[in-house]
Amino acid sequence: MSRTFFEFARRNLQRNLFRSLLAVVGIVIGVLAISSMGILGNSLTLSVTEELSTVGDSLSVIPHSGMGSQFGGGMVQDKITERQVQDLRRIVGSNPVIPFYSTADRIQVGTKSGVASIYAMDPDDMPKIVEVEKGIMIRGNSGILAGPRIADQFDLKVGSQIRFENGDTQRVVGILKERGLGFDIQPDYSLIVPSRWYEDRNDEKGYDQVIIKVRDIDEVDTLEKAIDDRFNRREDVLDTFSSKEILSSIQQVFGQISTFTTAIGGISLIVAGISILNVMMMSVTERTKEIGILRSIGTLRSEVRQMFIYEALMLGAVGSVLGGLLSFGGGFLISLLVLQTTQYLFHPASLSAIALGMGFGIATALLSGLYPAWKASNLNPIEALRYE
Amino acid sequence: METVTAVGSDDPVLIRFDDVSKVYPLPAGDVVALDRVSLTVVRGEFIAIMGPSGSGKTTLLNLIGCLDVPTSGRLVINGRDVADLTDDDLTYLRRDTIGFIFQHFNLIPLLSVMENVEYPLILKCKDRDACGMKPFEVLKAAGLDDERLYTHKPNELSGGQQQRVAIARALVNDPSLLLCDEPTGNLDQKTGKAIMDLLAEMNRAGKTIIMVTHDLGIASYANRQVRIVDGRIMEDTG
Ligand SMILES: Nc1ncnc2c1ncn2[C@@H]1O[C@H](COP(=O)(O)OP(=O)(O)OP(=O)(O)O)[C@@H](O)[C@H]1O
Ligand SMILES: [Mg+2]
């Protein structure tokens, strides 16, 4: 029964294949835009939550950028002193505090040379912040840990010798496990050396940055407040920021991008809706006589309506399925560009983003089919029969 | 085949027009297509309706066919006053008790011959598989013996063949009433005669037939002639 009307609708769309395809294209674009953005949004949230849940939240402390004077000395405060680090340890209690130097140097490995980002920290702190994939952690005051990306770049292996600008050489003792996008440091692209070794060769007034690993995420705000009270009462000395804050600012930017693209998706769906409306109104006019015949041989108004709704739904379904399939490609590309990973493409959240986009596509088609269907079902059978 | 009175009620009167008028309101003024027509049709009759162009023949047929309702007067079909019926009721009445045969065949171009014939049956019995062999029977009865044609689209058939398909479609729900608006108007004389023989056979089998025609020869197949001029019945041999 409804199979007959379904078949009717299908044949009619096929009869005007080109026109039907044009109507479908709009739906495809709309669904694609909405779904791809949904996938990106979910992947972003997933990657960040995953990061937060594995490494916990970390609080970065850096010197206040800008001019600051201590004890009226009038000098530029762009380091964190040993005393300040001690104060920080007191404030945060049992949460690990990791002070380090952050620098860059020209290095040479065999025949290759280039610039490397370098973190210098206490070997005891290293296991708190990175993991070794090959080789061992640094013990004592020599050795280098190399991030996987920089290791690829310079062909570094456990045992490789690195020569620094000043002529000193050190061996790689461990290659780090890939950590991915981080909010505190970027070990994947860096070398990590013992702080004592670094201090022996450089005259440093203090650390460049301190990372505080906060075990309980809910504690982050309290700690930030406490640090702020201790150091910044009179003037800003230290800036703190948590992964959470960075995350929320990323999400804010992303929110704007996604509002924009979703709007584009929405607009293309509206355009698609109008084109479906248009296609179906044409179909109603062209088939006036046919509708008259169908009514005269006993087709109910509701059945005529059903036939046209099926047509709209078919356009919507074909467009949405195509759009949904293409969204995997779209989501893949956009995640790769923005997040450098596509591992969340088949996550249930991404799939539900596609389902949502498809839902919008079908709903749009259905909505634009309602008026033509109503119009067709209300044709006066005699007028329709007289129509040529 | 059923007997004349077996369908509907036992009342031998199938259709009764009581002072029925049909007025089409047009911007240029009302057109009175039917003017206080009274007419009674008994089950089993074969009536030819004749008259000049624009006299109201099709309008009369449309009212009987429940495609339209009177502007005034009372029209009773199968014991039911059409003024009391909803659009759905009228549709069911068309589907179950009336078969239409048009001058231009009016087959559905998207459907094959078989599908055209099946269509009203599917509307009625809701399930194609439960519809049985009826479409085959009526196609054969309508004189379309060549089964290879059943999968063709209507526009691949000759006029005579198309009209046979239309007759099969009109018969498939076993209606008690066949309404024909110039059924031979688009056919040559020989084909027209064959179609008329078929209709006469249906009438002998118990169908009430009301047919509009201009052709006196065609009208002679009927056992009652009604002549309309300017929306009024001028002559009725019944
Ligand atoms: N739907 C309509 N709207 C307006 N006027 C109509 C309509 N249908 C019929 N008429 C008018 O009513 C009158 C009767 O028309 P009808 O079609 O019944 O004539 P007919 O006898 O069937 O003519 P023909 O032999 O040419 O088919 C005509 O004047 C026609 O113009
Ligand atoms: Mg006419």
Side-chain angles (χ1 to χ4, degrees):
Chain A
M1 170 63 171
S2 49
R3 205 201 322 169
T4 307
F5 298 126
F6 193 79
E7 183 62 18
F8 237 119
R10 191 186 66 73
R11 287 192 202 172
N12 186 56
L13 291 177
Q14 227 168 29
R15 174 163 64 178
N16 300 304
L17 195 58
F18 184 68
R19 209 203 271 168
S20 309
L21 285 180
L22 282 183
V24 162
V25 167
I27 295 281
V28 171
I29 293 172
V31 171
L32 180 60
I34 291 178
S35 303
S36 303
M37 275 336 278
I39 292 177
L40 175 61
N42 283 320
S43 302
L44 187 79
T45 313
L46 284 169
S47 69
V48 165
T49 3
E50 195 162 287
E51 176 133 349
L52 286 187
S53 59
T54 53
V55 301
D57 201 7
S58 59
L59 201 56
S60 288
V61 184
I62 55 168
H64 179 67
S65 46
M67 305 293 280
S69 61
Q70 258 205 328
F71 311 116
M75 58 181 259
V76 177
Q77 155 84 27
D78 58 357
K79 299 286 177 187
I80 301 174
T81 64
E82 191 60 46
R83 256 196 65 184
Q84 290 172 323
V85 172
Q86 295 310 323
D87 281 351
L88 284 171
R89 286 191 204 280
R90 256 198 308 280
I91 293 168
V92 304
S94 66
N95 291 304
V97 172
I98 306 161
F100 59 90
Y101 306 97
S102 172
T103 182
D105 200 359
R106 177 161 285 279
I107 61 166
Q108 186 162 7
V109 183
T111 54
K112 290 191 178 177
S113 70
V115 176
S117 141
I118 298 169
Y119 296 114
M121 64 182 74
D122 190 323
D124 291 343
D125 286 338
M126 292 177 189
K128 297 173 191 163
I129 203 162
V130 290
E131 280 179 85
V132 166
E133 167 104 48
K134 279 181 235 139
I136 53 165
M137 275 288 174
I138 295 174
R139 292 195 195 93
N141 289 325
S142 63
I144 296 177
L145 295 178
R149 294 273 157 269
I150 197 168
D152 286 347
Q153 188 188 342
F154 287 96
D155 278 340
L156 296 175
K157 292 179 183 57
V158 175
S160 297
Q161 194 167 56
I162 298 180
R163 178 183 296 275
F164 292 89
E165 180 90 87
N166 64 1
D168 279 351
T169 59
Q170 280 286 317
R171 284 197 185 278
V172 174
V173 299
I175 306 285
L176 298 178
K177 202 162 160 185
E178 176 149 6
R179 210 184 78 161
L181 186 70
F183 295 118
D184 39 16
I185 59 173
Q186 306 299 337
D188 289 359
Y189 298 87
S190 313
L191 301 177
I192 299 180
V193 298
S195 47
R196 186 70 51 78
W197 177 83
Y198 178 78
E199 284 158 356
D200 287 348
R201 282 154 186 78
N202 297 276
D203 183 23
E204 289 288 0
K205 304 269 184 305
Y207 299 103
D208 293 293
Q209 189 175 343
V210 174
I211 286 175
I212 301 161
K213 287 275 159 200
V214 184
R215 295 206 185 86
D216 179 2
I217 294 186
D218 299 332
E219 219 187 330
V220 172
D221 291 339
T222 343
L223 291 182
E224 249 188 307
K225 175 89 170 51
I227 293 169
D228 202 48
D229 283 350
R230 165 65 186 80
F231 292 99
N232 301 333
R233 196 120 27 118
R234 264 172 300 167
E235 55 188 331
D236 285 337
V237 176
L238 297 181
D239 286 341
T240 58
F241 53 91
S242 62
S243 327
K244 226 160 76 175
E245 283 165 0
I246 298 175
L247 171 61
S248 77
S249 62
I250 289 178
Q251 275 178 334
Q252 202 180 335
V253 171
F254 171 76
Q256 286 159 358
I257 300 172
S258 108
T259 309
F260 178 70
T261 30
T262 311
I264 292 177
I267 290 169
S268 51
L269 277 187
I270 291 173
V271 172
I274 293 171
S275 97
I276 287 183
L277 184 78
N278 192 30
V279 162
M280 302 228 355
M281 284 313 284
M282 272 201 250
S283 167
V284 171
T285 309
E286 284 172 0
R287 295 167 71 193
T288 297
K289 173 96 184 197
E290 198 175 301
I291 294 164
I293 300 169
L294 292 177
R295 295 280 284 125
S296 75
I297 59 178
T299 311
L300 293 169
R301 277 190 184 162
S302 58
E303 289 166 336
V304 172
R305 213 159 34 228
Q306 199 180 335
M307 216 159 75
F308 279 85
I309 299 253
Y310 278 147
E311 247 179 65
L313 280 178
M314 258 182 242
L315 290 173
V318 170
S320 295
V321 168
L322 281 178
L325 289 176
L326 289 176
S327 301
F328 281 109
F332 181 87
L333 279 181
I334 200 164
S335 310
L336 197 65
L337 283 173
V338 179
L339 290 177
Q340 269 116 40
T341 173
T342 58
Q343 59 176 317
Y344 304 107
L345 195 57
F346 292 99
H347 191 278
S350 303
L351 298 181
S352 74
I354 293 180
L356 187 75
M358 290 172 67
F360 270 117
I362 291 176
T364 303
L366 181 61
L367 220 59
S368 7
L370 288 180
Y371 178 69
W374 177 84
K375 187 100 178 153
S377 69
N378 277 307
L379 283 175
N380 179 346
I382 333 184
E383 299 287 346
L385 273 175
R386 279 158 61 96
Y387 186 90
E388 283 303 333
Chain B
M1 287 278 172
E2 80 241 30
T3 61
V4 174
T5 51
V7 176
S9 66
D10 292 334
D11 187 356
V13 174
L14 182 59
I15 301 158
R16 190 192 301 278
F17 281 73
D18 261 334
D19 244 5
V20 168
S21 296
K22 180 69 198 180
V23 181
Y24 291 109
L26 291 180
D30 291 354
V31 177
V32 182
L34 284 182
D35 191 5
R36 282 167 287 138
V37 168
S38 293
L39 180 77
T40 303
V41 178
V42 176
R43 290 177 196 277
E45 279 192 296
F46 189 163
I47 303 178
I49 297 179
M50 305 205 287
S53 185
S55 56
K57 304 182 295 296
T58 298
T59 303
L60 185 79
L61 214 59
N62 285 343
L63 289 180
I64 299 172
C66 299
L67 288 169
D68 210 348
V69 289
T71 313
S72 66
R74 215 165 90 97
L75 172 56
V76 179
I77 296 172
N78 226 3
R80 302 165 82 181
D81 188 336
V82 296
D84 299 337
L85 301 181
T86 65
D87 190 83
D88 278 5
D89 292 333
L90 294 172
T91 307
Y92 289 133
L93 201 58
R94 288 199 294 275
R95 189 191 71 185
D96 299 341
T97 56
I98 300 169
F100 283 91
I101 297 161
F102 303 92
Q103 176 177 356
H104 298 283
F105 323 132
N106 287 357
L107 297 171
I108 308 292
L110 280 181
L111 302 181
S112 71
V113 164
M114 186 49 102
E115 289 166 334
N116 262 283
V117 175
E118 277 175 341
Y119 180 82
L121 191 59
I122 293 169
L123 286 181
K124 191 177 177 180
C125 71
K126 306 293 175 199
D127 180 9
R128 188 185 295 241
D129 301 326
C131 294
M133 296 298 288
K134 193 77 195 194
F136 274 97
E137 285 172 29
V138 288
L139 275 164
K140 298 261 155 106
L144 212 65
D145 292 314
D146 188 352
E147 291 189 12
R148 281 171 306 179
L149 292 176
Y150 295 180
T151 55
H152 286 233
K153 291 284 156 66
N155 60 8
E156 296 159 5
L157 270 55
S158 74
Q161 286 169 329
Q162 288 188 52
Q163 196 60 302
R164 288 180 191 278
V165 176
I167 291 173
R169 180 179 70 182
L171 290 175
V172 78
N173 277 345
D174 219 349
S176 41
L177 177 62
L178 288 180
L179 300 179
C180 319
D181 199 345
E182 303 190 34
T184 60
N186 267 23
L187 302 174
D188 61 56
Q189 208 162 1
K190 186 162 160 275
T191 319
K193 191 178 173 310
I195 293 294
M196 286 317 298
D197 288 336
L198 188 57
L199 288 179
E201 192 188 318
M202 298 304 155
N203 178 242
R204 276 193 298 280
K207 307 282 183 214
T208 309
I209 299 181
I210 302 175
M211 169 184 73
V212 168
T213 183
H214 281 117
D215 189 317
L216 272 174
I218 296 293
S220 67
Y221 279 86
N223 42 39
R224 177 178 169 192
Q225 281 85 26
V226 174
R227 175 171 293 278
I228 304 184
V229 178
D230 285 342
R232 265 176 255 191
I233 295 182
M234 281 296 152
E235 190 190 336
D236 186 347
T237 65

mmCIF file of all heavy atoms in Angstrom, chain A residues 138-164:
data_model
loop_
_atom_site.group_PDB
_atom_site.id
_atom_site.type_symbol
_atom_site.label_atom_id
_atom_site.label_comp_id
_atom_site.label_asym_id
_atom_site.label_seq_id
_atom_site.Cartn_x
_atom_site.Cartn_y
_atom_site.Cartn_z
ATOM 1 N N ILE A 138 67.036 9.864 32.501
ATOM 2 C CA ILE A 138 68.349 10.404 32.876
ATOM 3 C C ILE A 138 68.584 10.194 34.372
ATOM 4 O O ILE A 138 67.693 10.430 35.184
ATOM 5 C CB ILE A 138 68.405 11.908 32.547
ATOM 6 C CG1 ILE A 138 68.309 12.103 31.033
ATOM 7 C CG2 ILE A 138 69.690 12.531 33.116
ATOM 8 C CD1 ILE A 138 68.220 13.546 30.616
ATOM 9 N N ARG A 139 69.792 9.669 34.688
ATOM 10 C CA ARG A 139 70.176 9.624 36.099
ATOM 11 C C ARG A 139 71.463 10.418 36.218
ATOM 12 O O ARG A 139 72.354 10.279 35.388
ATOM 13 C CB ARG A 139 70.400 8.178 36.548
ATOM 14 C CG ARG A 139 69.113 7.385 36.562
ATOM 15 C CD ARG A 139 69.270 6.096 37.350
ATOM 16 N NE ARG A 139 68.150 5.222 37.032
ATOM 17 C CZ ARG A 139 68.186 4.308 36.067
ATOM 18 N NH1 ARG A 139 69.291 4.108 35.378
ATOM 19 N NH2 ARG A 139 67.117 3.582 35.817
ATOM 20 N N GLY A 140 71.559 11.250 37.225
ATOM 21 C CA GLY A 140 72.760 12.058 37.377
ATOM 22 C C GLY A 140 72.693 13.283 36.490
ATOM 23 O O GLY A 140 71.615 13.725 36.108
ATOM 24 N N ASN A 141 73.884 13.790 36.156
ATOM 25 C CA ASN A 141 73.910 15.089 35.504
ATOM 26 C C ASN A 141 74.331 15.061 34.052
ATOM 27 O O ASN A 141 74.800 16.047 33.497
ATOM 28 C CB ASN A 141 74.830 16.038 36.275
ATOM 29 C CG ASN A 141 74.193 16.411 37.596
ATOM 30 O OD1 ASN A 141 72.973 16.554 37.679
ATOM 31 N ND2 ASN A 141 75.002 16.509 38.639
ATOM 32 N N SER A 142 74.180 13.928 33.413
ATOM 33 C CA SER A 142 74.469 13.929 31.984
ATOM 34 C C SER A 142 73.447 13.079 31.252
ATOM 35 O O SER A 142 72.706 12.319 31.863
ATOM 36 C CB SER A 142 75.882 13.413 31.733
ATOM 37 O OG SER A 142 75.956 12.063 32.162
ATOM 38 N N GLY A 143 73.443 13.237 29.941
ATOM 39 C CA GLY A 143 72.473 12.514 29.117
ATOM 40 C C GLY A 143 71.381 13.454 28.621
ATOM 41 O O GLY A 143 71.195 14.562 29.124
ATOM 42 N N ILE A 144 70.732 12.991 27.553
ATOM 43 C CA ILE A 144 69.678 13.780 26.925
ATOM 44 C C ILE A 144 68.479 12.877 26.668
ATOM 45 O O ILE A 144 68.635 11.714 26.280
ATOM 46 C CB ILE A 144 70.153 14.345 25.563
ATOM 47 C CG1 ILE A 144 71.317 15.318 25.770
ATOM 48 C CG2 ILE A 144 69.005 15.026 24.814
ATOM 49 C CD1 ILE A 144 71.883 15.850 24.474
ATOM 50 N N LEU A 145 67.277 13.422 26.903
ATOM 51 C CA LEU A 145 66.066 12.748 26.424
ATOM 52 C C LEU A 145 65.595 13.506 25.184
ATOM 53 O O LEU A 145 65.606 14.737 25.172
ATOM 54 C CB LEU A 145 64.972 12.785 27.499
ATOM 55 C CG LEU A 145 65.251 12.017 28.794
ATOM 56 C CD1 LEU A 145 64.082 12.209 29.766
ATOM 57 C CD2 LEU A 145 65.469 10.535 28.502
ATOM 58 N N ALA A 146 65.229 12.756 24.157
ATOM 59 C CA ALA A 146 64.794 13.427 22.926
ATOM 60 C C ALA A 146 63.342 13.083 22.635
ATOM 61 O O ALA A 146 62.923 11.924 22.757
ATOM 62 C CB ALA A 146 65.673 13.002 21.753
ATOM 63 N N GLY A 147 62.550 14.079 22.260
ATOM 64 C CA GLY A 147 61.155 13.856 21.871
ATOM 65 C C GLY A 147 61.090 13.099 20.552
ATOM 66 O O GLY A 147 62.022 13.166 19.744
ATOM 67 N N PRO A 148 60.025 12.373 20.313
ATOM 68 C CA PRO A 148 59.928 11.532 19.106
ATOM 69 C C PRO A 148 59.996 12.344 17.800
ATOM 70 O O PRO A 148 60.576 11.880 16.816
ATOM 71 C CB PRO A 148 58.575 10.842 19.250
ATOM 72 C CG PRO A 148 57.811 11.635 20.263
ATOM 73 C CD PRO A 148 58.823 12.257 21.167
ATOM 74 N N ARG A 149 59.435 13.532 17.788
ATOM 75 C CA ARG A 149 59.440 14.323 16.545
ATOM 76 C C ARG A 149 60.834 14.820 16.212
ATOM 77 O O ARG A 149 61.291 14.715 15.077
ATOM 78 C CB ARG A 149 58.487 15.512 16.684
ATOM 79 C CG ARG A 149 57.045 15.127 16.815
ATOM 80 C CD ARG A 149 56.377 14.967 15.457
ATOM 81 N NE ARG A 149 55.230 14.097 15.595
ATOM 82 C CZ ARG A 149 55.272 12.792 15.428
ATOM 83 N NH1 ARG A 149 56.400 12.205 15.080
ATOM 84 N NH2 ARG A 149 54.199 12.060 15.587
ATOM 85 N N ILE A 150 61.531 15.337 17.252
ATOM 86 C CA ILE A 150 62.883 15.846 16.995
ATOM 87 C C ILE A 150 63.819 14.673 16.697
ATOM 88 O O ILE A 150 64.751 14.793 15.903
ATOM 89 C CB ILE A 150 63.386 16.714 18.161
ATOM 90 C CG1 ILE A 150 64.580 17.555 17.689
ATOM 91 C CG2 ILE A 150 63.742 15.895 19.380
ATOM 92 C CD1 ILE A 150 64.964 18.640 18.653
ATOM 93 N N ALA A 151 63.510 13.518 17.301
ATOM 94 C CA ALA A 151 64.314 12.328 17.026
ATOM 95 C C ALA A 151 64.191 11.949 15.551
ATOM 96 O O ALA A 151 65.185 11.613 14.895
ATOM 97 C CB ALA A 151 63.867 11.166 17.911
ATOM 98 N N ASP A 152 62.976 12.012 15.014
ATOM 99 C CA ASP A 152 62.766 11.750 13.586
ATOM 100 C C ASP A 152 63.551 12.748 12.752
ATOM 101 O O ASP A 152 64.208 12.387 11.770
ATOM 102 C CB ASP A 152 61.278 11.881 13.226
ATOM 103 C CG ASP A 152 60.483 10.705 13.736
ATOM 104 O OD1 ASP A 152 61.120 9.698 14.132
ATOM 105 O OD2 ASP A 152 59.241 10.789 13.743
ATOM 106 N N GLN A 153 63.465 13.991 13.177
ATOM 107 C CA GLN A 153 64.064 15.073 12.387
ATOM 108 C C GLN A 153 65.583 14.918 12.282
ATOM 109 O O GLN A 153 66.161 15.123 11.216
ATOM 110 C CB GLN A 153 63.702 16.409 13.042
ATOM 111 C CG GLN A 153 64.098 17.621 12.226
ATOM 112 C CD GLN A 153 63.892 18.911 13.031
ATOM 113 O OE1 GLN A 153 63.175 18.922 14.031
ATOM 114 N NE2 GLN A 153 64.533 19.976 12.584
ATOM 115 N N PHE A 154 66.211 14.531 13.391
ATOM 116 C CA PHE A 154 67.682 14.442 13.384
ATOM 117 C C PHE A 154 68.185 13.001 13.351
ATOM 118 O O PHE A 154 69.361 12.751 13.589
ATOM 119 C CB PHE A 154 68.248 15.151 14.621
ATOM 120 C CG PHE A 154 68.149 16.654 14.547
ATOM 121 C CD1 PHE A 154 67.087 17.331 15.132
ATOM 122 C CD2 PHE A 154 69.128 17.394 13.879
ATOM 123 C CE1 PHE A 154 66.989 18.710 15.060
ATOM 124 C CE2 PHE A 154 69.029 18.774 13.812
ATOM 125 C CZ PHE A 154 67.974 19.446 14.394
ATOM 126 N N ASP A 155 67.278 12.054 13.090
ATOM 127 C CA ASP A 155 67.656 10.640 13.094
ATOM 128 C C ASP A 155 68.279 10.222 14.418
ATOM 129 O O ASP A 155 69.277 9.483 14.447
ATOM 130 C CB ASP A 155 68.666 10.348 11.965
ATOM 131 C CG ASP A 155 67.949 10.160 10.651
ATOM 132 O OD1 ASP A 155 66.728 9.875 10.680
ATOM 133 O OD2 ASP A 155 68.599 10.324 9.600
ATOM 134 N N LEU A 156 67.725 10.686 15.526
ATOM 135 C CA LEU A 156 68.316 10.384 16.831
ATOM 136 C C LEU A 156 67.918 8.996 17.288
ATOM 137 O O LEU A 156 66.780 8.576 17.108
ATOM 138 C CB LEU A 156 67.842 11.414 17.866
ATOM 139 C CG LEU A 156 68.274 12.853 17.626
ATOM 140 C CD1 LEU A 156 67.637 13.768 18.658
ATOM 141 C CD2 LEU A 156 69.796 12.952 17.664
ATOM 142 N N LYS A 157 68.903 8.282 17.857
ATOM 143 C CA LYS A 157 68.628 6.987 18.465
ATOM 144 C C LYS A 157 69.264 6.993 19.836
ATOM 145 O O LYS A 157 70.035 7.914 20.150
ATOM 146 C CB LYS A 157 69.237 5.868 17.620
ATOM 147 C CG LYS A 157 68.537 5.740 16.294
ATOM 148 C CD LYS A 157 69.141 4.651 15.434
ATOM 149 C CE LYS A 157 68.423 4.626 14.087
ATOM 150 N NZ LYS A 157 68.497 5.945 13.399
ATOM 151 N N VAL A 158 68.912 6.000 20.646
ATOM 152 C CA VAL A 158 69.585 5.899 21.940
ATOM 153 C C VAL A 158 71.071 5.721 21.653
ATOM 154 O O VAL A 158 71.449 4.848 20.871
ATOM 155 C CB VAL A 158 69.047 4.707 22.761
ATOM 156 C CG1 VAL A 158 69.840 4.542 24.044
ATOM 157 C CG2 VAL A 158 67.569 4.923 23.064
ATOM 158 N N GLY A 159 71.900 6.596 22.245
ATOM 159 C CA GLY A 159 73.339 6.532 21.999
ATOM 160 C C GLY A 159 73.835 7.581 21.021
ATOM 161 O O GLY A 159 75.047 7.818 20.920
ATOM 162 N N SER A 160 72.932 8.236 20.280
ATOM 163 C CA SER A 160 73.366 9.285 19.352
ATOM 164 C C SER A 160 74.050 10.404 20.120
ATOM 165 O O SER A 160 73.671 10.739 21.250
ATOM 166 C CB SER A 160 72.165 9.880 18.622
ATOM 167 O OG SER A 160 71.519 8.922 17.845
ATOM 168 N N GLN A 161 75.068 10.981 19.461
ATOM 169 C CA GLN A 161 75.772 12.078 20.128
ATOM 170 C C GLN A 161 75.303 13.415 19.563
ATOM 171 O O GLN A 161 75.188 13.581 18.355
ATOM 172 C CB GLN A 161 77.273 11.947 19.913
ATOM 173 C CG GLN A 161 78.052 12.839 20.840
ATOM 174 C CD GLN A 161 79.509 12.476 20.828
ATOM 175 O OE1 GLN A 161 80.140 12.453 19.769
ATOM 176 N NE2 GLN A 161 80.063 12.179 21.997
ATOM 177 N N ILE A 162 75.012 14.352 20.461
ATOM 178 C CA ILE A 162 74.568 15.674 20.034
ATOM 179 C C ILE A 162 75.621 16.695 20.437
ATOM 180 O O ILE A 162 76.095 16.719 21.576
ATOM 181 C CB ILE A 162 73.215 16.038 20.682
ATOM 182 C CG1 ILE A 162 72.136 15.035 20.240
ATOM 183 C CG2 ILE A 162 72.805 17.469 20.324
ATOM 184 C CD1 ILE A 162 70.765 15.309 20.833
ATOM 185 N N ARG A 163 76.013 17.538 19.461
ATOM 186 C CA ARG A 163 76.985 18.593 19.755
ATOM 187 C C ARG A 163 76.245 19.920 19.818
ATOM 188 O O ARG A 163 75.456 20.253 18.930
ATOM 189 C CB ARG A 163 78.055 18.640 18.645
ATOM 190 C CG ARG A 163 79.089 19.742 18.829
ATOM 191 C CD ARG A 163 80.053 19.770 17.652
ATOM 192 N NE ARG A 163 80.818 18.529 17.589
ATOM 193 C CZ ARG A 163 81.946 18.330 18.294
ATOM 194 N NH1 ARG A 163 82.419 19.280 19.066
ATOM 195 N NH2 ARG A 163 82.604 17.203 18.177
ATOM 196 N N PHE A 164 76.488 20.652 20.927
ATOM 197 C CA PHE A 164 75.815 21.944 21.092
ATOM 198 C C PHE A 164 76.679 23.059 20.522
ATOM 199 O O PHE A 164 77.853 22.850 20.174
ATOM 200 C CB PHE A 164 75.500 22.202 22.575
ATOM 201 C CG PHE A 164 74.452 21.260 23.100
ATOM 202 C CD1 PHE A 164 74.808 20.020 23.651
ATOM 203 C CD2 PHE A 164 73.108 21.588 23.015
ATOM 204 C CE1 PHE A 164 73.851 19.152 24.106
ATOM 205 C CE2 PHE A 164 72.145 20.713 23.480
ATOM 206 C CZ PHE A 164 72.510 19.489 24.032
#
